[in-house]
Amino acid sequence: MLMLAFFVQHISGQTDSASVAALGLPVLSVRTVNGEMPTCDFVWAPEGEFGIGTTNKTKVPGRVILTHGGSTLYDSGEYGKNTSGMTIRIRGNTSAYYSLKKPYKIKLEVKADMLARGDEKYNDKNWVLLDQGGDNLNAAVGFKLNELLQLGGWTPAYRYVNLLFNGNYHGVYMLAESVKRNTNARLNVDADGYIIERDAYWWNEPVYVSSSEGKKFTFKYPDQDVVTTEQKEYVKQFIDLMEKAIDDGTYDQSIDVQSFATWLLANDILGVGDAAGTNMFLLKRNASAKLEMATLWDFDADYRTPDQWSEIHLNDRLFYFPTLLNSPNRTFSARYRHLWQEQGRSVIDQLCTFLTEFRQSDVAEGLRQSRPLDGATWNYPPDKVDDNIDNTLNWLTNRKQWLDTQIEAIDTITSGIAVICPEQYSEQHSAKYSEQHPAQLFTLSGQRVTTKNPTPGIYIRNGKKYIIF
């Protein structure tokens, strides 16, 4: 009867907040000044790039309240600049264009913990409303995987909520912490450190740097509004140095190999098929630190490649993983394989346990009750929560077997002599390496080799021996 009554109210344009609360999930109520809705325009990628970006995003002031079970968990108060309330705007890019159900960013006027965990260390101004939970459990599984692998030293906390926007039901969302520097509770980066993003939408940002290989990075910290020319140049320099180190096999002096290998393994477990849109955040925790992969984010393209590697594993135009995996320096490959042997299998088992327990949770029941209304609001047939769980369990079971076979076959020779076939050397190192580093490959007799395709034999590069046959 409750569901039927709600549908009658929903169709008539009226929303009873008590009925929404009775569905079981917390209710996030947003009321803006004069009932104004945030808007944006869209801009298409320039030639040679891809995606659709957002621009002219309006920040609308208002009040936000989180309630659950008859209790108020958080209330920002009415809007007053720097004193109370919040502003809300549309976030995202291509997904925001194609989906009528927009994701949002909330910025509080005063720091607080919107998730009401009872500890001031979680206070922050920046929060996000992700379009997650209405049709899949991708983000919940992805964040759980990040937690198990401890990527970035922080996993975003979240709550599934039903959103009321100016009194109208807007569906199921995930209220979550955003990727941000917060030394108390989010990414722990020193004042002289950096958080950057390998950003597919760099062309829609006012500040970015371009590496020597043409890869573009934007700033999360320092904020792009305050980043200086000197900071931009510094970031470019250490990225260029990293790229050179990856090319010449000395990368373990520039990158945190553990975090890079862990980030790749996480994407391979999830089978991420995103060709560019997956957010890739990197940290330099202080001026002397190595570059490190940060927290996983963006799980829209999970479970796309059942019998092949993730896209990021294969595509060197997107990132550096193919070069690292094929480097004569087998440190990265060895670390990746070791991670799988020591953690990968057990992590998949723990994800399966997480899903099995989640099936019986009050949150899962709240999603079961709420999804039909989300679907009716946005005119799509909602997936069943239990189907999501079953399909993901099936994926993880099969993925574990496939990865076990594939990863065990990876060459991880670390004895100081690596075996390279001519095709591998030619594809990965010949032209570019010989042009940029002609003096770093030698025969055992000390004679420099400058040809793009060395003849078979034993060679020394950077103090290490390599067999080319």
Side-chain angles (χ1 to χ4, degrees), residues 201-261:
Y201 296 93
W202 63 269
W203 47 267
N204 195 38
E205 297 294 338
V207 179
Y208 66 90
V209 297
S210 180
S211 73
S212 60
E213 293 186 0
K215 292 180 173 62
K216 308 297 194 298
F217 295 83
T218 57
F219 287 81
K220 297 292 289 185
Y221 176 80
D223 188 86
Q224 60 186 12
D225 294 336
V226 300
V227 67
T228 66
T229 300
E230 291 75 17
Q231 288 171 323
K232 286 177 59 180
E233 183 59 29
Y234 175 76
V235 168
K236 176 174 171 52
Q237 286 178 358
F238 76 65
I239 293 174
D240 286 347
L241 288 172
M242 176 191 69
E243 289 182 344
K244 180 178 181 295
I246 288 174
D247 284 342
D248 66 24
T250 60
Y251 55 80
D252 36 5
Q253 300 174 18
S254 300
I255 68 170
D256 180 79
V257 176
Q258 178 79 12
S259 70
F260 272 64

Side-chain angles (χ1 to χ4, degrees), residues 231-435:
Q231 288 171 323
K232 286 177 59 180
E233 183 59 29
Y234 175 76
V235 168
K236 176 174 171 52
Q237 286 178 358
F238 76 65
I239 293 174
D240 286 347
L241 288 172
M242 176 191 69
E243 289 182 344
K244 180 178 181 295
I246 288 174
D247 284 342
D248 66 24
T250 60
Y251 55 80
D252 36 5
Q253 300 174 18
S254 300
I255 68 170
D256 180 79
V257 176
Q258 178 79 12
S259 70
F260 272 64
T262 305
W263 201 94
L264 179 59
L265 179 61
N267 276 257
D268 282 334
I269 289 173
L270 296 175
V272 179
D274 202 327
T278 296
N279 297 88
M280 303 183 67
F281 298 107
L282 298 92
L283 307 175
K284 202 171 191 299
R285 293 189 185 271
N286 53 59
S288 60
K290 295 179 181 180
L291 201 61
E292 166 185 349
M293 296 301 296
T295 303
L296 296 172
W297 191 265
D298 189 355
F299 307 99
D300 290 342
D302 293 358
Y303 320 125
R304 296 286 180 89
T305 54
D307 57 354
Q308 58 185 296
W309 299 110
S310 63
E311 182 68 19
I312 204 73
H313 187 118
L314 302 169
N315 193 328
D316 59 4
R317 186 171 67 90
L318 301 180
F319 206 62
Y320 309 102
F321 292 122
T323 306
L324 287 166
L325 286 163
N326 288 284
S327 174
N329 178 354
R330 307 306 292 164
T331 301
F332 180 82
S333 296
R335 189 68 57 85
Y336 177 82
R337 185 175 175 184
H338 179 75
L339 271 168
W340 171 253
Q341 294 169 337
E342 294 298 310
Q343 290 183 263
R345 301 182 187 95
S346 64
V347 160
I348 289 179
D349 292 341
Q350 290 175 78
L351 284 177
C352 291
T353 299
F354 165 73
L355 285 165
T356 300
E357 294 175 351
F358 181 81
R359 190 194 297 272
Q360 307 301 322
S361 69
D362 291 340
V363 175
E365 184 57 29
L367 290 174
R368 292 186 188 98
Q369 296 296 321
S370 301
R371 280 188 177 184
L373 304 177
D374 187 290
T377 300
W378 301 109
N379 194 28
Y380 75 94
D383 291 345
K384 293 182 179 179
V385 173
D386 295 281
D387 287 347
N388 289 162
I389 293 172
D390 291 339
N391 291 338
T392 308
L393 287 171
N394 183 62
W395 166 275
L396 291 170
T397 300
N398 293 331
R399 194 66 172 171
K400 181 180 178 181
Q401 296 176 353
W402 187 86
L403 286 173
D404 212 25
T405 301
Q406 299 298 316
I407 294 176
E408 288 300 325
I410 291 177
D411 173 25
T412 60
I413 297 174
T414 57
S415 61
I417 300 181
V419 180
I420 312 169
C421 68
E423 293 79 12
Q424 182 184 28
Y425 187 92
S426 175
E427 290 174 4
Q428 298 296 329
H429 301 284
S430 61
K432 184 175 181 180
Y433 185 87
S434 297
E435 290 170 4

Side-chain angles (χ1 to χ4, degrees), residues 98-111:
Y98 283 109
S99 178
L100 293 175
K101 182 183 177 186
K102 308 301 184 191
Y104 297 100
K105 177 179 179 179
I106 293 174
K107 186 168 185 179
L108 304 177
E109 291 299 303
V110 178
K111 290 181 179 181

Side-chain angles (χ1 to χ4, degrees), residues 42 52-54 57 89-97 103-104 204:
F42 296 96
I52 302 170
T54 51
K57 292 175 280 195
R89 66 168 176 83
I90 293 170
R91 70 178 300 276
N93 288 288
T94 302
S95 58
Y97 174 78
Y104 297 100
N204 195 38

